[in-house]
Amino acid sequence: MIVVFGSINIDLVTRATKIPGPGETVAGPIYEKIPGGKGANQALAARRAGADVVLVGAVGADDFATHALSLLKADGVDLHHVATVDQATGAAFITVDPQGENAIVVAAGANDYAQARQLADVAIDDKTVLLLQREVPDAEGEAAARLAKSKGARVILNLAPAGAISESYLRLLDVLIMNEHEAVSLAAALGLPADVRSDPESVARTIDQTYGVPCVVTLGANGAVGWTGGVCRAADAIKVKVVDTTAAGDTFAGAFAAALERGAHFSLALQYGIVAGGLACTKQGAQTSVPYARDIESVVQERLKEDFIPGTATPSP
Ligand code: RIB
């Protein structure tokens, strides 16, 4: 089972000819209300990748909450541990440009009131993977990690959005996942040497070797690298026509966690993550773009066949 402790948002999404700079207004034709939030997106990604998933978080007593939880409910994510609090449901204001890149402002609302103690009644054991992000308070994330570790669970943190976490939190992790910007920002906060800070792959190696925490860095069109036990693994990105990159990182994290939870080794989990994240870029929106296991699986199997016989895509008889 995967337990996700994290944010639940409604995304208000506009496609515009460009992402506005400071003081600038840009016209967009329409906006859409799409279920989002890094925690909720990762829960759905893990679920659609085939895992049993419990989502723990907080929403407001408003119409946004119903919409924000609708796809999770439809796909069978356990929502019994989502609290309703006296705050507005979290909302994200997203602009997507013609290249599919986005800019996001998140209003935390109810997410700031999610508490680790909500995990007290969740059946966590040594088969559980706890998946965390940074859109609920870090202190609560760390407390959730501590609770899960005390029950023998594995803990994965996706360090998004970018920022520093305490060394005590870092050392609780079984895997840390970041994108290249998040890696650079964590490296600065940890005071890593300048030559390491400027290179996301070196940051991943240092987190693995210095802190003993396996670390994955996603590199957009350049795929992903992961360091575990002093060994580097890499996965190439899949080639897709990018429509919208929103939630690609969340989809990577959810599919990676689902693969690890069902017993895949680290480098195979990287493949599942990178394929799922790539497929998420081909559709508009956060949860509306999350792929299902059958679509992920067919691409992963094709890749494995190609890897089996280097230099050719055709298996030998
Ligand atoms: O990672 C994408 C997500 O970030 C969006 O769904 C938005 O809600 C913000 O949390």
Side-chain angles (χ1 to χ4, degrees), residues 7 9-11 35-38 41 91-92 94 104 106 135 246-248 250 286-287:
S7 58
N9 293 336
I10 271 295
D11 293 353
K38 294 187 193 302
N41 298 345
I94 304 182
I104 305 180
V106 182
E135 285 186 337
T246 306
D250 297 333
Q287 289 176 33

Side-chain angles (χ1 to χ4, degrees), residues 9 74 78 89 95 102 149 153 192-193 214 246 251 259 266 271 273:
N9 293 336
D78 182 340
T89 297
T95 310
N102 62 55
K149 292 301 287 183
L192 300 185
T246 306
T251 304
F266 190 85
Q271 290 291 342

Side-chain angles (χ1 to χ4, degrees), residues 13-33:
V13 185
T14 307
R15 290 200 83 103
T17 50
K18 58 176 283 203
I19 290 167
E24 194 176 9
T25 300
V26 176
I30 55 160
Y31 72 93
E32 289 181 86
K33 276 192 300 182

